[in-house]
Each structure stands twice: as C-alpha cells, then as structure tokens.
Amino acid sequence: LVVNKWALKEFPFVWTLTTLQFGFAALATYLAGRLGLIEVDALELKRLMKFFPAAGMFFITITAGNAVVATSNVDTFIVMRSVVPIPCAILEALILKEPYPPPRSWAGLATVLLGAIGYCLANQGLLVESASWVVLYLVLMPLDGVLIKQLVSASGLSPWGLVLYNNVCAL
C-alpha cells in the first residue's frame, strides 16, 4: 500500500501502473513455472475465456484501489478496505448460499471497522478527492471476491495456476 502510494507519486498513471503490476506478476509466475521453481498450469484458451470476466473485474477493482490511493491518503484506503468484508459476507450468503456469519463474526467485523475509523480519526483523517473511485471499489471488490471464489472452486487449477490465469486475463 505504501509502495503503491510512493509509486503513484513518482508515476501518476493509475491504469498504466496497474497494467505493469499485473504484467510483472504474470511474467514472474510464468517464468518461475518454466524454470521448475513452482507448479503452474499451462495456459489453455478455454480456461482463459472462463477466467476473463472475473479477471477483468479484478483488474478494474485493483485500478480503482490504486486510484483511491493516488487521490487520498493511506488512512482513507485502510478504512475503505476494512468495509469490504461486510458486503462480501452478505453476497456469499445470497449468491453462494453460504451461511451468514455468526453474531461473534459480525462483532469482529464491526470492531475492525471501528478500529480503522478510530485510527484514521486519530491520524490524518479521511481524505477523498474522488468519491467515484471509492464507490467503484466498494461495489466491485465484494462482487469480485464472490465471483472469484466461485470460479476458483470450480477451476481445478493449482494455486500458481490461478495466479497466472488471473494476471494474464487481467491484461
């Protein structure tokens, strides 16, 4: 997060920086697999097509997060990110038919949220220069998390295969 903030100050092109990050991750994963350092599934067009919608959404979500980092302070991003598990839990129950979290989990989520807000208020406060990026991130991140969870569970790919497919498709 802090490195992204620094990178965006030095190179303020959010979409390009995100593309470079995904490209580096895809290339590093592919090369590590080719060198036999990790087990990576081979790229197959049929699987790439299945992954494309989720990976595309993930790319936009990460870009929105980078844009929030670029147009606000780190505290704002921390508070924004701490909100995401709440709609994720609701979407998992509604879409994936998973049980709702028990009351103790909701209490934990509320504690994390209140702690993040308290941290923010004690430091620099919230700074939002582009509310549209925040809204985009807060809408897409939970949807993306649920979509990727469903896709990953049905993919049959190795963990490094998932990394490769996600990053290649996001490009």
Side-chain angles (χ1 to χ4, degrees):
L1 181 59
V2 174
V3 172
N4 271 358
K5 182 70 172 177
W6 169 81
L8 287 163
K9 282 186 182 242
E10 299 298 318
F11 186 77
F13 306 101
V14 175
W15 289 95
T16 305
L17 181 65
T18 305
T19 301
L20 290 171
Q21 290 171 328
F22 276 87
F24 177 79
L27 181 62
T29 304
Y30 176 78
L31 291 175
R34 296 289 291 175
L35 293 171
L37 301 173
I38 58 176
E39 182 184 327
V40 179
D41 299 277
L43 292 173
E44 299 171 6
L45 184 58
K46 187 176 178 181
R47 279 185 166 170
L48 285 168
M49 298 305 287
K50 285 183 180 178
F51 256 81
F52 183 74
M57 185 185 296
F58 184 64
F59 180 87
I60 294 168
T61 302
I62 297 303
T63 302
N66 281 342
V68 171
V69 169
T71 60
S72 66
N73 57 15
V74 172
D75 296 348
T76 301
F77 185 85
I78 291 169
V79 170
M80 178 188 72
R81 183 66 182 96
S82 68
V83 173
V84 171
I86 297 168
C88 274
I90 295 167
L91 284 174
E92 282 183 358
L94 294 175
I95 295 171
L96 301 179
K97 306 300 182 209
E98 303 244 348
Y100 281 98
R104 289 180 66 183
S105 294
W106 285 113
L109 290 170
T111 301
V112 168
L113 176 61
L114 292 173
I117 292 170
Y119 168 79
C120 178
L121 295 175
N123 286 299
Q124 298 177 16
L126 289 175
L127 171 67
V128 178
E129 293 178 17
S130 180
S132 59
W133 285 113
V134 172
V135 170
L136 185 64
Y137 183 87
L138 290 174
V139 168
L140 287 182
M141 190 63 176
L143 288 172
D144 186 58
V146 170
L147 179 61
I148 286 179
K149 182 177 182 179
Q150 186 173 19
L151 186 63
V152 165
S153 63
S155 73
L157 291 170
S158 69
W160 287 110
L162 292 168
V163 170
L164 180 62
Y165 272 78
N166 196 44
N167 285 287
V168 167
C169 287
L171 294 172

